[in-house]
Amino acid sequence: MSLKVNYIELHKQVDDLRSRVRELEEALAASQSSRHPAEHSSQGSHSSARKNALNSADNPEEHSLPMEFDALMVSPTGMQQWLGSTALSEWFVKPEKDKLPEAAALYKPTNITMMHGEPMAFSPNSLSQDQLAEYRRTAIAALPDPDTFHRIVSIYYEQVAWLYNPVPRTRLMEIAHPLLYGTPDHINAHEISTVHSILALGYLFDLSKPPGSPEVYKHASMSKFSISLECIFARTTVSTIEAYLLRLIFLLFDRDRAAPMQVYGHLGIVWRLIVSIGMHRDPARWHFDNAECQRRRRIFWDFVAFDTWQCMSWGRPSSVTSNVYDCRVPWLDENDVEGEEQRFQRWRFIFVRDILLDVLAHCTTCGATPTIGTVMKLDKRIRDYQLFGMSSQPQADSTQPVQATVYQRNIMFCIKESVICFLHRPFFVSALNENLRDPLRSRFAGSCLALHASATALLGRGHALLDYQPHVSRFFVWWGQAFTSIVALGALVIKAPGSTLAPSSLSEILIAEKAFERAAEGFKASRLLPSIRKLRERAQAAIDDYNSGRYPPALQDTADVLPGIIHGPTLIPSAIFPAPLECPVDTTSCSTETTPPVSQPESVDALVAGYLQTLQSELDQMAKQHAASRPEVQETNNPTATSQDVQNLFGFYMPPSTTLLPSAPPLLSDAQTTPAFSSATWAEFMASFGVTFE
């Protein structure tokens, strides 16, 4: 009993001391305010932060975020985009108009390969069997000669497939051999699309050509074209999932800034296609042979890994939850693993299943602010997860290229550090928002240390990878994560230049800037480099001001130099969204023999054609009658004036029959706004129904 009384008395004394400390702090703040009004705001924030710490000191693990962190970007035209707490900083950077590479400007797709709107270019049901066969021959004819094909495919498997490999080389060769050597009858259009996507990615990493070479655009366009030849919903196969997933992987490598925005939406379509053919259920329940079981499992988990990582980079929830699938990880029994490539993929899939899906669910839960205790438990799970399950040296009998093994071991490290940064960033930003001289005095000091350590470790891999392999500049994965880490370290320097972590953070920014300069050939690095330079200048100025005694710093808007460092729910008005790049124009660099012109559809509904011709005749007659009643219109020599006048009078357009002659329709890109009505547009609209007027 005496112990209990002493315990209660001790807590009473602690509470009394807390109350006294609060009174003294408030008195000190009032005194300082009367003597130094300019510093009152800073001192007040310090006092408030300290009081919050005292109030919740009983259980530090229960410290929670004051609010949820997310942003809604709204453009003047009404376009909107929501970004969650783990969104990459690059999505907040205001886009500048990108210019296509000079080499790419040599290539202009033909009408049939200019397919905007992923992935359906047209409805295959609107084409006859003869037209589908002709289009199919066009796609096959666009393949390179066998020697070039094997060279480009080797580049793909060395430089891309070490991470995303939904179609192993043996499977690709089963598809490609009939296409290259003249017996392609049993190869479907989606398999042809798969081949073109792999070629597009291979050419992208061919160092003998610029990143935006004509061949990249040619095969990317043919991939879109081929996947549209068969309805993805009515004729879904496992090959459809392979082709669609490769198309989305290519979009992440594309220089088009609007391309990643398409990926998130299309992931939902791929998920529904997967469910529609039962790939979310383990294939053993249908007694498939082992090879088919492993193929279906591999593709399913490649999709889950791709989807989870993309959702994490946008801060958005995934459609895939653990209670809606039971498909096993391929090679779950380690004795079934054959080679380094399968060993890495197995590690990646298990890491996604056991760690990444839980982190994503934690970071995208709405309405419940996470606590630092929960975050620290997830942090421990990530750090305790075995990193190098592979041997320290590549196996002698490994069929995988050595550079692929180096990439895999580095990306395993970077993935873990990136996830830790994602996890701690909201708490790190909350610590900076407390306006303490050093965020390490915050209740979220643990998150500050964790993010600083992981960001520094992640940035340290940049130069090592560039020294080993120049292809890294063209790979998308590291650069987006690195830029987010640079912004986080820059925020620490700018907002807390007196922190003990500020000098080392500035040094890391300087080193990372040099890595981005070395990789300026790549789309990602060159696009983000101006923002890094601006951030480095502001960070250096903050350190200089602090060393000169100018603290606290003057209030400045940091949204332009610290993209993604937001304060709670944030509305970003007048946001600028990237417009899709327009495809360049000219076919001289790509042989027109590989993409022969395709005839217009011949099967036209006679009733529709007759009705449209009758309607056109009636409209012309109405225009003539109206012109007869208005002499001032007849005086003009403009042959389109009468119909234009009728348009003004009745509010609709009646094109003269002379403008409805067959002609090549214009190629309108997604970047263009809705054009004014023109005769060419009318002709294009009619031609889409297979109707031409003689």
Side-chain angles (χ1 to χ4, degrees):
M1 178 65 71
S2 60
L3 288 176
K4 183 176 181 181
V5 172
N6 292 338
Y7 179 79
I8 295 174
E9 183 64 25
L10 178 62
H11 269 275
K12 185 177 183 301
Q13 292 177 9
V14 170
D15 291 338
D16 291 341
L17 288 173
R18 284 180 185 158
S19 299
R20 183 57 179 159
V21 168
R22 293 192 195 102
E23 292 172 0
L24 291 173
E25 283 188 335
E26 290 170 358
L28 178 62
S31 175
Q32 293 291 339
S33 175
S34 61
R35 296 181 183 180
H36 305 286
E39 297 181 3
H40 174 61
S41 175
S42 175
Q43 294 290 343
S45 62
H46 292 184
S47 176
S48 175
R50 195 167 302 165
K51 284 194 292 183
N52 290 337
L54 286 170
N55 289 334
S56 55
D58 289 335
N59 190 357
E61 289 191 358
E62 294 304 317
H63 292 326
S64 62
L65 292 175
M67 61 190 73
E68 295 179 79
F69 285 71
D70 61 352
L72 181 64
M73 305 172 70
V74 182
S75 76
T77 58
M79 291 188 295
Q80 300 180 19
Q81 181 167 272
W82 179 80
L83 300 170
S85 63
T86 65
L88 295 177
S89 290
E90 68 173 293
W91 309 139
F92 293 86
V93 177
K94 291 183 178 179
E96 297 180 0
K97 186 174 179 59
D98 283 339
K99 296 180 180 179
L100 246 64
E102 183 177 348
L106 298 175
Y107 174 66
K108 176 184 179 179
T110 61
N111 288 356
I112 61 168
T113 61
M114 184 68 170
M115 304 303 178
H116 290 289
E118 298 285 341
M120 297 298 291
F122 50 80
S123 172
N125 295 331
S126 66
L127 303 177
S128 68
Q129 290 301 314
D130 290 342
Q131 290 155 0
L132 286 172
E134 188 175 358
Y135 284 6
R136 176 189 168 88
R137 288 192 294 271
T138 299
I140 296 174
L143 296 173
D145 62 84
D147 291 341
T148 303
F149 176 87
H150 289 293
R151 183 178 71 84
I152 300 302
V153 165
S154 295
I155 294 175
Y156 165 79
Y157 282 102
E158 290 174 3
Q159 305 300 331
V160 181
W162 60 267
L163 181 58
Y164 295 118
N165 188 20
V167 182
R169 186 190 287 261
T170 53
R171 167 64 181 155
L172 177 67
M173 290 300 106
E174 291 175 1
I175 302 171
H177 190 275
L179 297 175
L180 294 174
Y181 299 103
T183 56
D185 294 341
H186 66 283
I187 304 298
N188 65 49
H190 296 166
E191 292 174 322
I192 298 173
S193 174
T194 293
V195 175
H196 280 292
S197 288
I198 288 176
L199 288 171
L201 288 164
Y203 274 113
L204 188 64
F205 282 82
D206 184 1
L207 292 183
S208 67
K209 298 180 181 296
S213 66
E215 290 81 3
V216 173
Y217 291 93
K218 170 185 174 181
H219 291 290
S221 294
M222 293 307 300
S223 174
K224 290 187 285 186
F225 169 63
S226 300
I227 205 173
S228 300
L229 291 178
E230 294 184 13
C231 180
I232 62 172
F233 302 109
R235 301 177 66 88
T236 313
T237 65
V238 176
S239 298
T240 305
I241 310 301
E242 292 173 337
Y244 210 150
L245 189 54
L246 278 167
R247 285 289 310 135
L248 298 187
I249 292 171
F250 174 81
L251 287 178
L252 292 182
F253 286 95
D254 194 5
R255 71 167 293 114
D256 189 349
R257 284 199 53 159
M261 297 180 180
Q262 301 175 33
V263 173
Y264 180 79
H266 286 293
L267 285 170
I269 298 177
V270 178
W271 170 245
R272 282 156 179 78
L273 292 175
I274 285 174
V275 172
S276 72
I277 60 173
M279 286 185 66
H280 63 305
R281 305 303 307 268
D282 192 76
R285 65 190 289 113
W286 292 295
H287 308 292
F288 286 120
D289 61 43
N290 185 63
E292 183 63 18
C293 284
Q294 297 293 18
R295 179 191 178 197
R296 293 172 69 97
R297 290 167 180 162
R298 179 182 190 131
I299 297 169
F300 175 81
W301 279 99
D302 244 324
F303 166 78
V304 173
F306 185 80
D307 173 82
T308 306
W309 194 251
Q310 291 310 304
C311 291
M312 186 77 76
S313 70
W314 290 96
R316 297 171 181 170
S318 169
S319 300
V320 184
T321 55
S322 58
N323 60 340
V324 298
Y325 67 85
D326 62 2
C327 183
R328 296 174 54 199
V329 169
W331 319 294
L332 192 57
D333 185 349
E334 195 167 4
N335 295 325
D336 295 336
V337 174
E338 297 178 0
E340 296 270 335
E341 193 268 342
Q342 288 187 7
R343 188 171 289 107
F344 167 75
Q345 297 296 346
R346 176 181 179 273
W347 178 91
R348 185 167 69 99
F349 297 153
I350 294 176
F351 181 79
V352 169
R353 184 195 65 184
D354 294 348
I355 302 291
L356 203 55
L357 285 172
D358 287 347
V359 174
L360 179 62
H362 165 82
C363 294
T364 56
T365 299
C366 296
T369 54
T371 64
I372 190 65
T374 304
V375 167
M376 287 303 178
K377 290 176 182 176
L378 282 171
D379 180 289
K380 187 176 187 304
R381 283 178 58 192
I382 297 169
R383 296 182 190 277
D384 291 346
Y385 196 83
Q386 184 179 0
L387 181 59
F388 294 105
M390 300 184 294
S391 59
S392 59
Q393 296 294 330
Q395 296 180 358
D397 60 347
S398 175
T399 58
Q400 179 174 257
V402 175
Q403 59 265 37
T405 302
V406 174
Y407 283 149
Q408 289 168 353
R409 296 180 181 185
N410 277 278
I411 204 64
M412 288 162 66
F413 176 85
C414 291
I415 285 174
K416 291 185 67 173
E417 300 302 331
S418 296
V419 174
I420 292 172
C421 288
F422 279 139
L423 195 60
H424 287 281
R425 189 167 64 161
F427 294 90
F428 167 78
V429 174
S430 292
L432 295 180
N433 291 344
E434 292 178 1
N435 295 321
L436 299 173
R437 184 180 293 267
D438 191 341
L440 293 183
R441 300 174 63 187
S442 164
R443 53 188 172 151
F444 300 131
S447 287
C448 296
L449 286 170
L451 187 139
H452 179 272
S454 291
T456 300
L458 181 66
L459 294 176
R461 295 284 163 148
H463 281 290
L465 287 170
L466 284 168
D467 289 341
Y468 179 76
Q469 187 59 263
H471 290 90
V472 172
S473 63
R474 303 187 184 190
F475 207 88
F476 73 91
V477 171
W478 187 82
W479 305 102
Q481 306 297 330
F483 180 70
T484 302
S485 298
I486 291 171
V487 171
L489 295 180
L492 192 152
V493 176
I494 293 171
K495 292 181 175 291
S499 170
T500 54
L501 300 177
S504 62
S505 297
L506 181 60
S507 298
E508 293 298 331
I509 293 172
L510 295 171
I511 294 172
E513 181 184 2
K514 294 178 181 178
F516 274 75
E517 289 173 348
R518 290 179 60 188
E521 178 201 38
F523 302 141
K524 285 269 189 180
S526 61
R527 183 181 294 138
L528 297 173
L529 185 57
S531 297
I532 295 174
R533 287 171 174 163
K534 186 186 298 183
L535 184 149
R536 185 254 305 156
E537 292 171 359
R538 181 74 72 87
Q540 184 66 63
I543 290 287
D544 293 342
D545 287 346
Y546 179 80
N547 292 336
S548 301
R550 294 190 291 272
Y551 185 86
L555 293 178
Q556 295 181 357
D557 183 15
T558 58
D560 59 331
V561 294
L562 298 177
I565 303 298
I566 55 179
H567 309 282
T570 303
L571 179 66
I572 305 177
S574 303
I576 302 175
F577 292 91
L581 288 178
E582 295 186 22
C583 231
V585 182
D586 192 287
T587 53
T588 55
S589 66
C590 291
S591 173
T592 55
E593 295 178 359
T594 61
T595 54
V598 180
S599 60
Q600 294 295 325
E602 299 175 355
S603 57
V604 179
D605 190 328
L607 292 177
V608 174
Y611 170 76
L612 291 174
Q613 289 177 337
T614 302
L615 176 62
Q616 181 63 53
S617 176
E618 292 176 355
L619 291 176
D620 288 343
Q621 185 64 30
M622 288 174 62
K624 292 177 181 178
Q625 292 175 358
H626 182 77
S629 64
R630 296 188 60 178
E632 66 278 9
V633 176
Q634 289 179 325
E635 293 176 2
T636 180
N637 292 324
N638 184 354
T640 65
T642 43
S643 56
Q644 179 63 46
D645 190 68
V646 175
Q647 175 192 4
N648 296 336
L649 182 64
F650 295 105
F652 60 87
Y653 182 69
M654 296 184 293
S657 58
T658 55
T659 66
L660 294 178
L661 298 176
S663 60
L667 294 176
L668 302 178
S669 71
D670 289 344
Q672 293 174 290
T673 57
T674 303
F677 199 97
S678 67
S679 58
T681 305
W682 174 272
E684 181 185 13
F685 174 75
M686 295 298 183
S688 69
F689 291 96
V691 179
T692 57
F693 296 95
E694 299 296 337

